[in-house]
Amino acid sequence: MKLTNYFLKKKIRLMAGTASAREHQYCPLQEAGSILLVYDQQDRELAELWVKQLSGLNKHVNRCVYETSRNPEQEESPYFKINSVTDTNLLEIPKEDIVINFNRIPADILIDLSRSSAHVMHYLVLNHPSRFKVGRKHSSFSMHDLAISMTEEEDVDLLFGHILFYLQTIRSK
């Protein structure tokens, strides 16, 4: 049983304040060798399509999926799984070994497609050492180098389409 996510949200707001002050580095899609795709379990089928698109651009794609199920799937998978029940403490803060292992996943670009309610993933994304992070714009805090405003909050396929478009279009030195 999880007590509350209040403390996790508070940590996220504090971390987001310092993240916005860090030096932002744009990484063009053409120069990125590895991409970390972060998404929720319910978007698994769409994620397979996204991975195919990115792989078709000759990018090495690492995946991290967020599960909230009490009975997570036990099969071996080629991607990193975070389970809100088993991988967090009573305050929903990710365990230290999870944070360490997540930060070890190489990524020139981190694409955050997690839902607005996935606070555990927000915490991990803010901690990740990727030089360029992109995702949905949050109303209460800023955590990405490139944040896209969405009117349809739950349309992650549309969000991915916008992200891919901007990563392919914008060139900067």
Side-chain angles (χ1 to χ4, degrees), residues 26-45:
Y26 178 71
C27 179
L29 188 61
Q30 296 78 9
E31 294 177 16
S34 61
I35 295 174
L36 174 55
L37 191 62
V38 177
Y39 59 93
D40 290 9
Q41 175 67 27
Q42 64 199 56
D43 301 319
R44 191 168 162 183
E45 290 178 18

Side-chain angles (χ1 to χ4, degrees), residues 6 46 59 87 107 112 119 146 173:
Y6 170 80
L46 287 171
K59 304 300 169 199
D87 296 332
D112 178 15
H119 304 297
L146 173 62
K173 284 287 177 190

Side-chain angles (χ1 to χ4, degrees), residues 81-138:
K81 287 184 182 181
I82 311 273
N83 186 284
S84 65
V85 177
T86 59
D87 296 332
T88 61
N89 64 21
L90 289 175
L91 301 176
E92 287 195 31
I93 297 171
K95 295 177 181 174
E96 188 173 338
D97 62 322
I98 296 298
V99 175
I100 290 169
N101 289 331
F102 181 77
N103 288 347
R104 286 184 181 154
I105 301 172
D108 294 321
I109 299 174
L110 186 150
I111 299 177
D112 178 15
L113 299 169
S114 60
R115 307 267 175 167
S116 56
S117 61
H119 304 297
V120 172
M121 297 313 295
H122 301 158
Y123 180 86
L124 291 170
V125 166
L126 280 164
N127 273 305
H128 195 276
S130 174
R131 68 181 209 193
F132 187 65
K133 300 173 187 177
V134 60
R136 171 184 293 113
K137 182 176 176 146
H138 296 276

